[in-house]
Amino acid sequence: YRSPLLFLLFICLLSCCSSADVYHIDGYIDCADDGDTVTILHLDNDNSHESLSQAIVKDGKFYFNGIVNGCVIANIHVCARGKEICSTFFIEKGKIELHVAESSIKATGTPFNELYNIIEDSITYYTGCLEEIEDICCHEVPDSGLLAQLG
């Protein structure tokens, strides 16, 4: 009678422990040499940074694994070929892919990172639209005499 109950309790405990929020980060970088570093920093509420982990680039790849409680806002800091590249992303349960290029870093694969990409892409698009409008509005219109007639 006790044995099946203890076994059931053990299975419940095991399932609770194994459902931890595990994350895996696979990083791909085409602008780094073997031995360059990638650091993940945790962003605190007061904008201070705490180093969570560091990886070394090998064959254009780097990896991070860990356990996260919920979702954490983080910065990735890449020191490659004498340049520094930084970006914000979210550490959350699941497989995250970080794609690092010379001037950008994009995180994909998890819900918050996908949503962040949509928001960031929208901001970039609308910023471009506003710049085009500004260019159109701020260029001098050739004087055809029409403005003098209106004024």
Side-chain angles (χ1 to χ4, degrees):
Y1 168 63
R2 285 180 110 192
S3 180
L5 188 58
L6 284 175
F7 179 73
L8 186 58
L9 180 62
F10 175 74
I11 295 298
C12 288
L13 271 174
L14 187 62
S15 68
C16 288
C17 293
S18 65
S19 68
D21 291 342
V22 175
Y23 69 89
H24 302 282
I25 299 174
D26 293 341
Y28 305 94
I29 183 167
D30 59 1
C31 57
D33 297 319
D34 286 354
D36 286 342
T37 60
V38 178
T39 305
I40 293 180
L41 306 164
H42 175 252
L43 284 174
D44 290 329
N45 291 338
D46 61 357
N47 282 338
S48 63
H49 296 80
E50 172 192 347
S51 180
L52 292 178
S53 190
Q54 188 173 50
I56 304 297
V57 175
K58 176 143 176 70
D59 298 326
K61 299 176 185 168
F62 57 90
Y63 305 97
F64 294 97
N65 295 299
I67 296 173
V68 64
N69 186 12
C71 183
V72 174
I73 300 173
N75 267 2
I76 178 171
H77 186 259
V78 180
C79 292
R81 297 182 182 160
K83 292 183 179 180
E84 292 186 21
I85 309 166
C86 298
S87 187
T88 302
F89 76 106
F90 295 91
I91 299 174
E92 59 187 312
K93 179 180 181 177
K95 183 180 177 186
I96 302 165
E97 289 190 7
L98 288 172
H99 300 272
V100 182
E102 293 243 359
S103 61
S104 69
I105 300 173
K106 190 164 223 156
T108 60
T110 55
F112 279 108
N113 285 307
E114 296 296 342
L115 181 60
Y116 185 72
N117 288 333
I118 291 168
I119 293 168
E120 197 171 62
D121 290 347
S122 296
I123 290 170
T124 300
Y125 172 76
Y126 287 113
T127 300
C129 289
L130 289 173
E131 288 172 355
E132 284 184 36
I133 291 169
E134 184 179 331
D135 286 346
I136 292 168
C137 292
C138 294
H139 283 120
E140 286 188 32
V141 178
D143 187 12
S144 63
L146 180 60
L147 292 178
Q149 291 174 11
L150 294 175

